[in-house]
Amino acid sequence: MGLWERWNRWEDSHRFAIDATLTGLVMLVAVPLSAASADSFYPVPFDLYLWSAAVIAPLAWRRSHPAASAAVVFVVGLLQVLAGHSLILPADLAVLAALYSVTVHGPRWAHRVAITGALLGSLLMSAAFSGNDPVSLIGTTLFASSVALAVWAFGLVRRQRRLTIDALVDRTHRLEVERDQQARLATAAERSRIAREMHDIVAHSLSVIIAQADGGRYAAEADPAAATRSLGTISETGRAALADMRRLLGVLRTDPADAARPRTPGLVAAAGHQDTDASGATTSPMPAAHDLDSLVEQVRASGLRVSLVRMGTPRPLPPGAGLTVYRICQESLTNVLKHAGPDPAVTVLVQWQAAAIQLEVSDDGRGASAESDGLGQGLLGMRERAAMFGGSVKVGPRPGGGFRVRAQLPLPPVANDDAPAMPAPSAPVESVDSSSTPPPLDDPATGSHTTHRERPPMNHRQQA
């Protein structure tokens, strides 16, 4: 802020003090000059000093109370004329100063009344000053009225400029408030997004770790090798969760030199193949729908019987939709680990439709009888994610037992000419170990059945 701006701000906040000081200085000069200009009176009547001071003094409130100040000046001037003093100069110039002040700083009705009173006062003053000379009356009236109109016009110009500046200042203030509100809304939205991502990452990983730790603890004496495998799974899950958290927090980095570096796609890159900065923070892309295979393999390694079925022709998803599909599947599998009970069989169905992608995660576990503390935010987070893309999530028990999560996200339709030339799989895309295959899991919603890979040896889990 420059010197002139600081002066304007200070002057605007001390209007009365400044105007009162200037009015006092003007009175010290104008009152003696007005008395000295009365050549026709000797000695000078004392009331000339009073009239001069009375018509100038209200100017101290010309900006703080412009309408009242102008009204007092005009009334004093009228009484002065009626008292026989038609014109006292330079004191009566206070009438023009009051007219200008009320035009610039007063309400609209006030300056209109003021100019009307000034024109009538010009006629009254001219009549008292000119006597019975009609030529002098007309000339004096025209001159006084012209001066009053010129002062009023100049005040209107200044008023319009002040109103324009005030409007610009108000607009700037409103834009600043709107910008701050948008920043707060963006911050809240980003916090919600990060909270959803952290919940999905931490809840899923901790559920797998708890299941593996409990299973390893029970199998430690009877099968030390199973306990060793359990510890390995815990280690891999922890590293994957840490990589996901680093990838999530990597968006907060501001290093411009890193923007041009290539990114490594995938769920969790292998050791030595992740994109990291100097501090070791992972910055590779977030997982998407094509990473469901890795997610299912990770959950299957924890001892859960889970199958992945793909139907339809895959195609590129809008930005963020793939992450939504991945997170909904991850949260659904996490809930299976926590609430489905011992040894559930799970089917993950990904169906590519003409105008939507449908994800369904169903199990044959406890279903409606599963216990919950009611403190989780997983289902709410799934619905929020789907709602951002105009989709929906339906959850509830399956007929005949178990639980189902069905999510559907709308997709832009693809013309036949633009569709990829790859046939839709007619059977589940799943490699099955023929030596030990569990029975198929019937799905009443789709009328199909899926097969399951052999479950690893370690099968001891406890509800988290």
Coordinates of all heavy atoms in Angstrom, one line a residue, residues 10 17-18 37 56 85 128 139 145 160 175 179 181 208 226 274 455:
W10 N -6.6 6.9 6.1 CA -6.6 7.6 7.4 C -7.5 8.7 7.3 O -8.3 9.0 8.3 CB -5.1 8.1 7.7 CG -5.0 8.8 9.0 CD1 -4.8 8.3 10.2 CD2 -5.1 10.2 9.2 NE1 -4.8 9.2 11.2 CE2 -5.0 10.5 10.6 CE3 -5.4 11.3 8.3 CZ2 -5.0 11.7 11.1 CZ3 -5.4 12.6 8.9 CH2 -5.3 12.8 10.2
A17 N -12.8 14.9 12.5 CA -11.6 15.7 13.1 C -11.0 16.6 12.0 O -10.7 17.8 12.3 CB -10.6 14.7 13.6
I18 N -10.8 16.1 10.8 CA -10.2 16.9 9.8 C -11.1 18.0 9.4 O -10.7 19.2 9.3 CB -9.9 16.0 8.6 CG1 -8.8 15.0 8.9 CG2 -9.4 16.8 7.4 CD1 -8.6 14.0 7.8
S37 N -15.6 43.5 5.2 CA -16.2 43.9 3.9 C -17.5 44.7 4.0 O -18.0 45.1 3.0 CB -16.4 42.6 3.1 OG -17.4 41.8 3.8
I56 N -20.8 29.3 8.8 CA -19.6 28.5 8.5 C -19.4 27.3 9.5 O -19.0 26.2 9.0 CB -18.3 29.4 8.6 CG1 -18.4 30.5 7.6 CG2 -17.0 28.5 8.4 CD1 -17.2 31.4 7.6
H85 N -29.4 41.2 6.1 CA -28.1 41.1 5.6 C -28.1 40.2 4.3 O -28.1 39.0 4.4 CB -27.1 40.5 6.6 CG -27.0 41.3 7.9 ND1 -26.4 42.5 7.9 CD2 -27.5 41.1 9.1 CE1 -26.4 43.0 9.2 NE2 -27.1 42.1 9.9
A128 N -33.4 40.7 -2.4 CA -33.0 41.6 -1.3 C -31.8 42.5 -1.6 O -31.7 43.6 -1.1 CB -32.7 40.7 -0.1
G139 N -30.2 39.8 -13.5 CA -28.8 39.5 -13.6 C -28.2 38.8 -12.4 O -27.5 37.8 -12.5
S145 N -27.7 31.6 -9.6 CA -28.2 30.3 -10.0 C -27.2 29.5 -10.8 O -27.1 28.3 -10.7 CB -29.6 30.4 -10.8 OG -30.5 31.1 -10.0
Q160 N -20.5 10.5 -8.6 CA -20.5 9.3 -9.5 C -19.2 8.6 -9.4 O -19.1 7.3 -9.4 CB -20.8 9.7 -10.9 CG -21.0 8.5 -11.9 CD -22.1 7.6 -11.4 OE1 -23.2 8.0 -11.0 NE2 -21.9 6.3 -11.6
L175 N -15.4 -10.7 -4.1 CA -14.5 -11.7 -4.8 C -13.5 -12.3 -3.9 O -13.3 -13.5 -4.0 CB -13.8 -11.0 -6.0 CG -14.7 -10.6 -7.2 CD1 -13.9 -9.9 -8.2 CD2 -15.4 -11.8 -7.8
R179 N -13.5 -16.2 -3.1 CA -12.3 -17.0 -3.3 C -11.9 -17.7 -2.0 O -11.5 -18.9 -2.1 CB -11.1 -16.0 -3.6 CG -9.8 -16.7 -3.8 CD -8.6 -15.7 -3.8 NE -8.6 -15.0 -2.5 CZ -7.8 -14.0 -2.2 NH1 -7.1 -13.4 -3.2 NH2 -7.8 -13.4 -1.0
Q181 N -14.0 -18.7 0.3 CA -15.0 -19.8 0.5 C -14.7 -20.9 -0.5 O -14.8 -22.1 -0.1 CB -16.4 -19.2 0.2 CG -16.9 -18.3 1.2 CD -18.3 -17.7 0.9 OE1 -18.7 -17.8 -0.3 NE2 -18.9 -17.1 1.8
V208 N -6.2 -57.6 6.6 CA -5.3 -58.7 6.2 C -4.3 -59.0 7.2 O -4.0 -60.2 7.5 CB -4.7 -58.4 4.8 CG1 -3.7 -59.4 4.3 CG2 -5.8 -58.2 3.7
A226 N 3.5 -72.7 8.0 CA 2.4 -71.8 7.8 C 2.6 -70.5 8.5 O 2.2 -69.4 8.0 CB 1.1 -72.5 8.2
Q274 N 9.8 -48.5 -8.5 CA 8.8 -47.5 -8.2 C 9.5 -46.1 -8.5 O 10.7 -46.0 -8.4 CB 8.4 -47.5 -6.7 CG 7.6 -48.8 -6.4 CD 7.2 -48.8 -4.9 OE1 7.8 -48.1 -4.2 NE2 6.3 -49.7 -4.6
R455 N -7.5 -73.0 -1.9 CA -7.2 -72.2 -0.7 C -5.8 -72.5 -0.2 O -5.5 -73.7 -0.1 CB -8.2 -72.4 0.3 CG -8.1 -71.5 1.5 CD -9.2 -71.8 2.5 NE -9.0 -71.1 3.8 CZ -9.5 -71.5 4.9 NH1 -10.1 -72.6 5.0 NH2 -9.3 -70.7 6.0

